[in-house]
Amino acid sequence: MAEIKLTQLSHGGGCGCKIAPAVLESILSTAKEKMAFPNLLVGAETSDDAAVYQLNASQAIVATTDFFMPIVDDAYDFGRIAATNALSDIYAMGATPIMALAIVGMPVKVLPVETIRDILSGGESVCHAAGIPLAGGHSIDSPEPIYGLVALGVVHPDQLKRNSEAQDGDVLILGKGLGVGVLAQAMKKGELDDKGYQALIASTTKLNTVGAELAAMDGVHALTDVTGFGLLGHALEVCKGAKLAAHIDMTDVPVIEEARVFAEQGCGPGAIERNLASFGEHVDFGADLPEWQLRLLADPQTSGGLLAAVASEQADEVLARFQRAGFGYAAKIGRLAAGEARVIVR
């Protein structure tokens, strides 16, 4: 049998498959009201990373699901990336994962059993690294390969980190470099060398475990993870929730080294244009910013980094915690200030 490239079996890959922000907002416009369940601490109203339900005075359960089509051709790596991405939503709430279930949709008449097994093994390896069981799941026969997890975690209600509670004067810290979507597109075009592929895998399979560590810090006011809507989209969600403006210095935004040259050449997935079209007047770019930088800010980040809004006096300590945890690209990228909910990039 000829080698089957997973990315050729799907119309899109990774978090680039997400429905565009403006379209999703329209679809969910009637589902944003707070539901009448007092123990539901977080629902759909703020587009947060996971739902949170309080069990008792010291425990809340955090629940999320995330799945997508292949972003790479290697089956084991695809499973690892999808599982890492799903668990990131737990860490983005300041929670610790406790269990996961697999979501599996595979074209069983197209893919060899060994390939499907490798995808599942990749996901299982990430759960093992996170110290949790992959306790079951659900599978269907589907025309495109789909894999992901239902992830459950726990957090003390007082240490829950929403995406909507940033404060005026907070420093914005980004945990991973941008450019995952750019690298994935370069790979699909056959232009990515081994060094670039390893950079892609290193970023997308690094668990955002530091999120659980940041939960105990009162100065960390808000957390989210940067995924399919790009840095701009997820920063804008923080701004809307807190009714603040984000001021981002493009010179401080970290970019994965191997992605920069492709970004400068205009390489990137179609989701970039969909994202940019969704932000409209809520984003203000400096007149001197080159086009490739604007596009990079909207690049969908599969299994991207945490974005933290932190009190200025604790920003250095938070950045140091990222760096001690192995996040070499972590950086302060801007501040939040009073003003209309928007992202201003200079």
Side-chain angles (χ1 to χ4, degrees):
M1 180 181 292
E3 180 183 0
I4 297 175
K5 292 185 178 298
L6 291 176
T7 55
Q8 293 180 353
L9 297 178
S10 59
H11 72 280
C15 287
C17 297
K18 291 181 74 169
I19 296 174
V23 177
L24 185 61
E25 180 69 23
S26 177
I27 293 172
L28 299 179
S29 59
T30 60
K32 293 285 188 177
E33 296 180 4
K34 182 74 173 180
M35 301 180 72
F37 296 94
N39 283 13
L40 183 64
L41 302 183
V42 179
E45 61 279 353
T46 58
S47 301
D48 220 319
D49 296 293
V52 183
Y53 190 91
Q54 185 166 351
L55 299 176
N56 51 53
S58 61
Q59 291 179 312
I61 192 79
V62 180
T64 185
T65 183
D66 211 317
F67 52 90
F68 46 59
M69 290 163 284
I71 187 175
V72 295
D73 292 316
D74 184 273
Y76 188 75
D77 284 344
F78 169 44
R80 293 168 65 205
I81 293 169
T84 305
N85 179 74
L87 292 179
S88 183
D89 286 340
I90 299 295
Y91 296 121
M93 304 302 296
T96 300
I98 57 172
M99 185 178 74
L101 303 172
I103 298 171
V104 183
M106 294 291 155
V108 295
K109 294 182 179 180
V110 177
L111 285 180
V113 170
E114 293 77 14
T115 299
I116 299 173
R117 186 180 297 129
D118 284 346
I119 294 171
L120 303 188
S121 294
E124 188 174 353
S125 74
V126 168
C127 291
H128 178 76
I132 64 170
L134 184 52
H138 184 67
S139 61
I140 62 169
D141 185 355
S142 65
E144 296 179 292
I146 297 171
Y147 181 69
L149 300 178
V150 174
L152 300 176
V154 291
V155 67
H156 193 292
D158 294 341
Q159 295 183 348
L160 173 64
K161 302 299 181 183
R162 298 173 174 86
N163 70 353
S164 57
E165 296 188 346
Q167 298 182 17
D168 186 359
D170 278 355
V171 174
L172 289 172
I173 296 176
L174 179 62
K176 293 184 182 182
L178 302 183
V180 166
V182 169
L183 289 172
Q185 185 67 17
M187 186 204 71
K188 290 179 183 179
K189 295 168 65 176
E191 298 175 357
L192 193 65
D193 61 13
D194 184 65
K195 183 180 179 183
Y197 182 77
Q198 293 307 318
L200 170 64
I201 298 303
S203 181
T204 54
T205 60
K206 184 165 181 58
L207 286 163
N208 282 319
T209 52
V210 69
E213 182 181 345
L214 298 179
M217 299 183 67
D218 292 337
V220 178
H221 297 141
L223 271 182
T224 190
D225 62 342
V226 177
T227 55
F229 300 155
L231 175 59
L232 288 178
H234 294 285
L236 188 56
E237 289 177 342
V238 171
C239 292
K240 289 179 177 179
K243 298 179 174 59
L244 295 170
H247 297 262
I248 293 177
D249 188 337
M250 190 64 205
T251 61
D252 293 330
V253 175
V255 179
I256 298 172
E257 180 182 353
E258 290 79 6
R260 185 179 297 273
V261 64
F262 293 109
E264 291 174 347
Q265 295 169 357
C267 180
I272 290 177
E273 280 72 29
R274 295 196 298 272
N275 284 341
L276 287 172
S278 296
F279 304 146
E281 62 184 17
H282 296 294
V283 175
D284 179 9
F285 296 117
D288 58 342
L289 290 179
E291 180 73 16
W292 72 268
Q293 290 185 338
L294 311 188
R295 289 171 49 81
L296 193 58
L297 291 169
D299 184 42
Q301 300 303 288
T302 300
S303 191
L306 294 180
L307 179 65
V310 184
S312 58
E313 61 271 19
Q314 289 200 341
D316 287 341
E317 172 58 22
V318 169
L319 182 58
R321 291 193 182 207
F322 271 102
Q323 293 170 343
R324 287 197 297 269
F327 293 88
Y329 281 106
K332 302 176 189 177
I333 64 169
R335 288 182 176 271
L336 292 164
E340 180 186 354
R342 59 195 292 109
V343 179
I344 302 162
V345 186
R346 295 292 184 264

